[in-house]
Amino acid sequence: MTEANRSNDNQSVEEIENEFLTEEVFVKLFEHIDKLPHRQREILKLNMEGKKMAEIADMLNLSYDTVKTHKKRAILSLRKSLGGNKAILIYVLFA
C-alpha cells in the first residue's frame, strides 16, 4: 500500500469517526430537547426549522419577549444538561 493510499484510508476512518460523534451529539441533544417543558421545546423546534422569533411569536400568539425568554431558558437548560463542547452545537443551531 502506498503512502497516499494509507493517508486516504486514515482520512476515511477519521471522517467516519467524526460523523459518528456528530450523530451521537445530535441524538443526545434531541434527547435533552425532548425533556424540556412543552413551550420551550416547541419554540426551539420551530427555530430549528428556520423560523424567526417574531414569526414564532405570531404563530403561537405570544409576545416576542415571551418567545425570547422561552428560547433563552431552553438554551441555558441545554447548556447545563449537556455541558462541555456540546454547548457549541447549541449555539450553532439556535443562535
Side-chain angles (χ1 to χ4, degrees):
M1 184 180 283
T2 67
E3 187 64 32
N5 287 343
R6 270 190 229 123
S7 177
N8 286 339
D9 287 344
N10 287 340
Q11 285 179 336
S12 297
V13 170
E14 288 174 15
E15 288 174 4
I16 291 169
E17 288 174 349
N18 285 337
E19 287 178 28
F20 178 76
L21 290 174
T22 301
E23 183 177 328
E24 189 176 310
V25 169
F26 272 105
V27 168
K28 273 282 197 221
L29 176 63
F30 281 97
E31 285 175 359
H32 287 274
I33 288 173
D34 287 342
K35 293 177 185 175
L36 290 171
H38 170 72
R39 194 59 92 177
Q40 291 178 15
R41 183 174 60 248
E42 183 178 30
I43 289 169
L44 281 184
K45 287 183 177 181
L46 288 169
N47 186 242
M48 290 175 65
E49 292 173 6
K51 306 274 192 273
K52 303 291 183 199
M53 287 200 298
E55 191 176 4
I56 295 169
D58 286 342
M59 289 175 64
L60 300 178
N61 199 26
L62 299 171
S63 74
Y64 179 88
D65 288 337
T66 299
V67 171
K68 185 177 175 180
T69 298
H70 280 301
K71 181 180 172 184
K72 181 180 178 180
R73 288 180 182 165
I75 290 171
L76 289 173
S77 179
L78 290 173
R79 283 180 58 203
K80 185 177 179 181
S81 63
L82 290 170
N85 294 330
K86 295 172 190 162
I88 295 169
L89 180 60
I90 295 167
Y91 285 114
V92 171
L93 291 173
F94 305 114

